[in-house]
Amino acid sequence: EPEVTQTPSHQVTQMGQEVILRCVPISNHLYFYWYRQILGQKVEFLVSFYNNEISEKSEIFDDQFSVERPDGSNFTLKIRSTKLEDSAMYFCASSESSGGSYNEQFFGPGTRLTVL
Amino acid sequence: AQSVTQLDSQVPVFEEAPVELRCNYSSSVSVYLFWYVQYPNQGLQLLLKYLSGSTLVKGINGFEAEFNKSQTSFHLRKPSVHISDTAEYFCAVTTKGGSYIPTFGRGTSLIVHP
């Protein structure tokens, strides 16, 4: 069964460093998403991406975040200068389509980011 | 804007006992409702969803949930749990006609004891 994969499973970084979290969505899916979950808090939407553009983003997704689909398979989330409060589990998701009618989002296992 | 409240952060239960995980939502427009499950070291998996029709929704692994519009609830139930049901359960809501980005609750940790 096709699934969303994410690497690495755990990333430890120093405050101020750049990190790139990687995701491989399901191959025929067209919409991609990033969510995060700070320990003990809700899963929060960060950004959605379609046709090489951001289609929607939350207020959390500020200038220190960026997303990219560098090739036909990977979808990345970059945090330019990490802060302690960026420590969280980051989930990638993909769906066949979005809007118009409901389409299920399929989630990856997450990357746990620890900023020291 | 919509919101979701999961009233219990942790629910311990013995194997073969029934369980109910509570979820209440708030929205000014019609909603779709979801329950996701996250097993240790895995991603979020859709357990069941309510889009329309019958208010009693059956999902995978013997779980079911009932949409109660008057009480704005979508509680998850299972008549007899197994050790393998130990996981984190997330209730989520999205509004009809929007972008279908779900708003999640904080999650309920179901711990099944032998």
Side-chain angles (χ1 to χ4, degrees):
Chain A
E1 186 175 335
E3 58 183 14
V4 177
T5 59
Q6 290 185 243
T7 55
S9 57
H10 191 188
Q11 173 94 42
V12 181
T13 189
Q14 295 290 325
M15 190 169 55
Q17 294 297 303
E18 175 184 286
V19 293
I20 297 176
L21 309 183
R22 291 182 168 79
C23 169
V24 179
I26 294 173
S27 62
N28 65 332
H29 285 186
L30 301 177
Y31 286 81
F32 315 114
Y33 312 83
W34 282 103
Y35 295 80
R36 79 171 186 192
Q37 184 185 26
I38 296 171
L39 189 63
Q41 299 187 26
K42 301 182 179 187
V43 175
E44 302 171 294
F45 167 72
L46 292 178
V47 66
S48 61
F49 190 85
Y50 169 71
N51 199 25
N52 284 321
E53 289 184 343
I54 291 174
S55 49
E56 191 172 342
K57 62 181 181 178
S58 70
E59 59 187 21
I60 302 168
F61 193 86
D62 60 23
D63 291 344
Q64 72 159 344
F65 291 95
S66 62
V67 289
E68 191 179 26
R69 187 151 164 84
D71 53 44
S73 60
N74 288 283
F75 178 52
T76 62
L77 174 69
K78 182 192 290 186
I79 309 175
R80 289 190 182 83
S81 178
T82 51
K83 306 171 189 170
L84 294 175
E85 54 265 36
D86 293 327
S87 293
M89 180 73 88
Y90 288 81
F91 294 105
C92 174
S94 68
S95 66
E96 288 184 9
S97 64
S98 174
S101 63
Y102 168 74
N103 269 270
E104 181 180 345
Q105 292 184 23
F106 292 82
F107 286 80
T111 293
R112 180 164 297 286
L113 177 64
T114 303
V115 182
L116 302 176
Chain B
Q2 64 269 21
S3 66
V4 175
T5 301
Q6 290 183 246
L7 297 166
D8 306 297
S9 59
Q10 200 172 83
V11 173
V13 64
F14 287 106
E15 194 173 19
E16 297 183 7
V19 71
E20 178 180 84
L21 306 184
R22 296 180 291 170
C23 172
N24 287 86
Y25 70 92
S26 172
S27 175
S28 58
V29 298
S30 297
V31 296
Y32 294 149
L33 293 155
F34 310 88
W35 276 97
Y36 287 85
V37 59
Q38 184 183 26
Y39 298 107
N41 300 316
Q42 295 186 31
L44 297 170
Q45 180 183 359
L46 185 64
L47 200 55
L48 50 77
K49 60 183 182 284
Y50 170 77
L51 303 183
S52 64
S54 173
T55 56
L56 182 63
V57 180
K58 293 189 184 297
I60 61 173
N61 301 337
F63 283 93
E64 64 180 32
E66 185 155 21
F67 171 51
N68 188 319
K69 188 175 182 179
S70 63
Q71 296 188 2
T72 61
S73 68
F74 191 55
H75 300 333
L76 181 70
R77 302 185 185 99
K78 186 169 182 177
S80 175
V81 294
H82 301 290
I83 296 286
S84 59
D85 292 324
T86 295
E88 193 80 16
Y89 291 80
F90 296 92
C91 182
V93 64
T94 187
T95 53
K96 293 182 181 180
S99 61
Y100 302 100
I101 303 295
T103 297
F104 288 89
R106 288 178 181 266
T108 297
S109 180
L110 176 64
I111 302 169
V112 181
H113 297 286

